[in-house]
Amino acid sequence: MSVKISPSVLTADFLTLKDDIKKLEDAGTDMLHLDVMDGIFVPNISFGVPVIRSIKRHTKLPLDVHLMIDRPHRYIKQFAEVSDFLGFHYEAGSDVAETLKEIRSYGCKACLTIKPCTPPEEIFEFLPLCDMVLVMSVEPGFGGQKFMPEALSKLSALRAEISKRGLDILLEVDGGINAETAPLAARAGADVLVAGNYVFSADDMKATVREIKSF
Ligand code: DX5
Ligand code: ZN
């Protein structure tokens, strides 16, 4: 089974995004990763619900929304309306179990995300409430950063715990994914790879998506 790819549009040209999404669809992209930043939880601001709603109108790809916002429980209802997978940070100051349950109550897949500083064991207790777990392999906030190899052992630990418990949970990795790091992450147990810069700066986006998916 090949790995799934979720291209992040963070570094895309938003005025040509419609055409780029079409190319991504044709190349067999599995979902689209949307990074929401509030300038508080992370030192950067990106976009919110209106932009995601516009993207949703133009694609059938599942939308994988990554909230990098402070106290995300305040906005779950709004984002759930435009998301297929809705993820938030364990470190962001919301009640983790309640927020995961709320996401599922709206019919969305719930994703719990951890920053590089968080040990994976801290979230084991929440796994039964998750449909996906996202391991950050860069500090959240910016695209185009270098992959942190420490993420590999975290992926392996989560993959082992998910298997041990017999749970059906996707394991996603986000940050610095390219042709060198994708196979490492896949081997460590990731089944969804987020790739931003590597896909959107490629001369041939289709070939790049296919390359990553082949790992
Ligand atoms: C970083 C974001 C990532 C980022 C990935 O905070 O969560 O999704 O856009 O971009 P690359 O692949 O360029 O590291
Ligand atoms: Zn992301």
Side-chain angles (χ1 to χ4, degrees), residues 8 10 33 35 37 66 68 136 138-145 174-177 194-197:
S8 162
L10 190 61
H33 186 85
D35 289 303
M37 304 179 180
H66 175 190
M68 284 164 273
M136 290 303 298
V138 296
E139 280 301 332
F142 299 91
Q145 301 182 76
D174 181 7
I177 292 294
V194 175
N197 218 39

Side-chain angles (χ1 to χ4, degrees), residues 42-53:
V42 289
N44 198 6
I45 297 176
S46 58
F47 50 78
V49 169
V51 169
I52 301 176
R53 188 176 290 117

